[in-house]
C-alpha cells in the first residue's frame, strides 16, 4: 500500500511540475521545495561561471 501512495504522490508532483514548465513558471514544489533549496544551497551551481576572454 505504501508503494501505491508513493506513486500517487510522485505522479501529482510530476504533473504539477509539467504544468508549471508549460506555463514558464519557476517555483518550488509544495512541501519539499523549501527543504531542497536549503539542503542544496551548499553545492555550487555548475552553470554559474565566467569564461575569461581569450586574446
Amino acid at each position: 500500500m505504501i508503494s501505491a501512495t508513493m506513486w500517487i504522490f510522485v505522479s501529482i508532483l510530476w504533473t504539477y511540475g509539467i504544468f508549471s514548465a508549460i506555463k514558464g513558471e519557476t517555483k518550488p514544489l509544495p512541501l519539499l521545495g523549501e527543504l531542497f533549496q536549503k539542503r542544496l544551497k551548499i553545492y555550487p551551481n555548475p552553470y554559474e561561471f565566467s569564461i575569461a576572454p581569450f586574446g
Side-chain angles (χ1 to χ4, degrees), residues 43-54:
Y43 298 107
N45 186 350
Y47 300 108
E48 291 180 1
F49 61 90
S50 62
I51 300 174
F54 295 105

Side-chain angles (χ1 to χ4, degrees), residues 31-52:
L31 303 174
L32 301 175
E34 294 297 324
L35 175 67
F36 287 155
Q37 290 297 321
K38 289 178 186 175
R39 298 288 180 177
L40 298 175
K41 194 177 277 189
I42 63 171
Y43 298 107
N45 186 350
Y47 300 108
E48 291 180 1
F49 61 90
S50 62
I51 300 174

Side-chain angles (χ1 to χ4, degrees), residues 4-24:
T5 305
M6 181 198 67
W7 280 111
I8 291 170
F9 181 69
V10 168
S11 297
I12 290 170
L13 290 179
W14 181 82
T15 304
Y16 179 79
I18 289 294
F19 282 117
S20 294
I22 290 170
K23 291 191 285 185

